Amino acid sequence: MQHFPSRLIKSLSTPTSLPCTATTLQRLASSHPKGVARVVLKKGKTQLFKDGSPMVYSGAVDRIIGRPPPRTGDVVLVADGAEKPIGWGMYNSVSMFCVRLMQLDEEATRDCSCALNMEKLLEMRINEAIELRKSLGIPSASTNAFRLVNSEGDRLSGLIIDIFGDVAVIASSAAWVEKYKAEIEACVGRINEINHINWRPSVEILKEEGLDVMENGIFYAISLEGQKTGFYADQRENRKFVSTISDNQKVLDICCYSGGFALNAARGGAVNVTGVDSSLGAIELAKENIALNNMDPGILSFVKEDASAFMKGAISRNESWDIVILDPPKLAPRKKVLQNASGMYRNLNSLAMQLTRRGGLLMTCSCSGAMTQSGTFLRILQGAASAAGRKITALRDAGAACDHTIDPSYPEGKYLSNILLRVL
C-alpha cells in the first residue's frame, strides 16, 4: 500500500479557457462545481490503462493534483504524464488499487451522458448487463440462477450481482460500491423479477430460509449465509455437461458443496452417485436438494467427510468410480502461496485418479485465479498422474459459464479451470 506525500499533491487550477485540443473529460471537469482531482500516471504506465486495464495500482501513479485531496469514493480523472486525461474512475486513498477506471476518454467523447457521473454510468452498465444475459438466453424456463454483473467483465470493477429467482445478492470488493449502495439498489430494484436485495458481506444480510433456485431444470435450496454469494453459478455449463455423460455410470463428486454435479449426474441417468464434503451445512443442503427434486436417495447419497480422508479410505478398500469430479475450494488465493497450493492440487488429483477406473473420466477443477493464470494446472495434473501411476488424456478444457464475463484487458478476471481427463 502506497501513501502519497503531500509534496505530490498540488492544487488543481481551473483554466479560464481550454485549448482546442482539450479532451471531453477536460472540458467536463473544468465545469464541475466541486472540481475533479487528477491522478497522474508515471512515464511508461499510461498505455496499459488506455488499453483498458481498469485497476490503477499505486505504483503506477506519479502524483495527484487536487486541493483538497480526493477522498475515498470520489470521482477522479486519470491522466498521462502531460496531465491529459485518459479516463475517469473511483478513487481509494488506502487500497493498493488507488483508482478503478470506469470510462476512457474516447468513450466519453462518443457519448458524454455518463461522463464523471457514477449514478448514470451504473444505470447504463447494469442495463447493458441485463441485455447481454438476455441475448444469451439467461434467465430461461430451466434456469433462474445466474450472474448479472461480473465486476471487471461488465466494466463495474468491484461489483458482483448474482440473481437467484426473485432475489439479487450483491457482493462488494470496492469502497465505491459501498458509497453508491442506494444507487445500485435502485437500479437492481427496477428489474421486474427482483423482489428482494441482499448484500454480502453485510451484517444486514437477510437470514431467509427455504430459498430455492432452478438451474438446468434442477432445483436447489441455497443458503445466503453459505459460500460466496450462496451458489456457484459459474459451474452451470460444466454441471450440464456432466449430465450428458453420466448415463449408466457410477459417479463420485468430491467437494460437492450443495450437490450441483451430483444432482446433474443423477438427472443424467447415473446408476449410483456419491457426494462428499467436509461441511455439515453443505451436506444438509445437498440432502435437501435430493428431496426437492424427487430423486431416489437409493441412487444418490451424500457423506460428510474430509476429501483426502475419504479418498484414502476408498483407495484402501479398492473402490473405483466411472466418473470422478473434484472441485476443491480456492487453494491459491494469491500468487505467493501458489507453490504450496500446487502441491495440494497434485496430491488431491493423484488420489482422485486412483479412484477413477482405468478408462474412466476425471473432471477436475481449480477456482484459484493464481493457478489458472499461471498456466501450470495441466502440468500439475501430469505430475499427479505420474504419482498415481496413471496415464491421462485431456478431453475438454473449460472455464466459467458465459454470464461470468471477462475483460481481455484484465485477464486476472479469469479464475476457473475445469478440465476433463480420461484416466488409464
Side-chain angles (χ1 to χ4, degrees):
M1 181 166 60
Q2 179 175 338
H3 296 279
F4 299 101
S6 57
R7 63 183 177 82
L8 293 182
I9 301 176
K10 59 182 181 179
S11 62
L12 176 62
S13 60
T14 302
T16 55
S17 62
L18 288 167
C20 60
T21 56
T23 69
T24 297
L25 291 177
Q26 278 178 309
R27 290 193 295 272
L28 291 171
S30 69
S31 60
H32 199 281
K34 295 183 180 179
V36 182
R38 294 190 197 194
V39 175
V40 181
L41 300 171
K42 291 178 179 177
K43 183 179 179 180
K45 300 295 185 182
T46 301
Q47 195 59 45
L48 172 67
F49 305 108
K50 288 183 74 172
D51 287 342
S53 181
M55 310 284 272
V56 180
Y57 54 96
S58 298
V61 175
D62 181 59
R63 61 193 182 278
I64 297 174
I65 303 174
R67 190 174 301 278
R71 295 180 297 179
T72 295
D74 282 354
V75 168
V76 295
L77 295 173
V78 176
D80 61 19
E83 299 181 8
K84 179 180 178 181
I86 65 166
W88 67 273
M90 307 306 294
Y91 183 71
N92 191 323
S93 63
V94 296
S95 171
M96 65 178 291
F97 299 114
C98 64
V99 182
R100 291 179 186 253
L101 269 168
M102 292 296 163
Q103 191 179 44
L104 294 176
D105 184 70
E106 60 189 41
E107 184 182 358
T109 300
R110 290 194 302 270
D111 178 7
C112 64
S113 62
C114 299
L116 305 180
N117 189 319
M118 195 61 207
E119 185 174 352
K120 288 184 178 179
L121 188 79
L122 269 168
E123 184 175 4
M124 180 182 76
R125 294 272 163 84
I126 291 176
N127 285 337
E128 288 174 347
I130 291 170
E131 292 305 312
L132 176 58
R133 272 68 182 176
K134 284 182 179 178
S135 73
L136 297 171
I138 304 168
S140 68
S142 62
T143 297
N144 66 2
F146 63 98
R147 178 150 294 179
L148 176 63
V149 173
N150 193 45
S151 194
E152 292 81 18
D154 288 292
R155 304 182 65 199
L156 286 170
S157 179
L159 175 65
I160 287 176
I161 305 175
D162 281 346
I163 304 297
F164 304 122
D166 68 345
V167 178
V169 179
I170 305 174
S172 164
S173 62
W176 75 262
V177 175
E178 300 300 324
K179 179 175 180 177
Y180 285 88
K181 189 172 182 177
E183 290 81 359
I184 293 168
E185 287 186 358
C187 290
V188 175
R190 286 194 287 270
I191 302 173
N192 290 336
E193 298 82 3
I194 300 303
N195 294 318
H196 307 282
I197 298 174
N198 289 357
W199 284 81
R200 181 188 178 120
S202 171
V203 295
E204 303 164 3
I205 191 167
L206 298 177
K207 296 178 174 62
E208 292 188 20
E209 297 295 333
L211 175 60
D212 300 338
V213 300
M214 180 172 59
E215 178 193 85
N216 299 328
I218 296 175
F219 292 95
Y220 296 86
I222 67 171
S223 169
L224 298 183
E225 295 182 287
Q227 301 176 36
K228 295 177 75 175
T229 56
F231 186 71
Y232 292 99
D234 52 1
Q235 292 275 26
R236 179 179 61 253
E237 292 165 9
N238 299 318
R239 286 191 283 262
K240 186 174 183 179
F241 179 80
V242 163
S243 72
T244 68
I245 61 173
S246 297
D247 188 37
N248 205 36
Q249 302 294 294
K250 183 182 175 186
V251 179
L252 174 63
D253 183 5
I254 296 289
C255 304
C256 66
Y257 187 43
S258 60
F261 283 110
L263 292 161
N264 275 269
R267 179 61 58 86
V271 294
N272 181 270
V273 184
T274 302
V276 180
D277 201 284
S278 61
S279 166
L280 178 60
I283 293 299
E284 289 175 344
L285 275 177
K287 290 179 177 178
E288 186 176 343
N289 289 335
I290 297 176
L292 196 60
N293 290 280
N294 296 313
M295 292 184 176
D296 185 354
I299 293 175
L300 179 57
S301 62
F302 292 99
V303 178
K304 180 190 177 299
E305 191 171 349
D306 173 76
S308 294
F310 177 90
M311 289 192 286
K312 289 175 181 177
I315 291 169
S316 70
R317 297 188 294 271
N318 293 316
E319 294 186 72
S320 66
W321 282 262
D322 301 308
I323 299 174
V324 176
I325 298 138
L326 176 62
D327 186 15
K330 185 184 294 185
L331 300 179
R334 297 173 302 279
K335 285 184 180 179
K336 66 180 181 181
V337 299
L338 185 58
Q339 185 173 355
N340 288 339
S342 296
M344 289 188 280
Y345 278 115
R346 186 179 298 107
N347 293 339
L348 286 170
N349 278 280
S350 178
L351 293 171
M353 289 173 189
Q354 293 175 67
L355 291 177
T356 307
R357 70 164 176 82
R358 294 188 183 274
L361 301 175
L362 168 63
M363 177 177 279
T364 183
C365 313
S366 168
C367 62
S368 299
M371 175 58 69
T372 295
Q373 292 148 30
S374 73
T376 60
F377 194 38
L378 271 175
R379 193 186 316 154
I380 288 169
L381 295 178
Q382 178 54 48
S386 296
R390 298 297 189 95
K391 171 68 177 175
I392 57 173
T393 303
L395 306 178
R396 178 178 182 265
D397 190 343
C402 60
D403 54 342
H404 286 60
T405 50
I406 296 172
D407 184 343
S409 65
Y410 188 70
E412 292 87 346
K414 185 175 182 179
Y415 65 94
L416 180 63
S417 294
N418 180 297
I419 297 178
L420 184 69
L421 304 171
R422 181 186 63 172
V423 182
L424 295 173

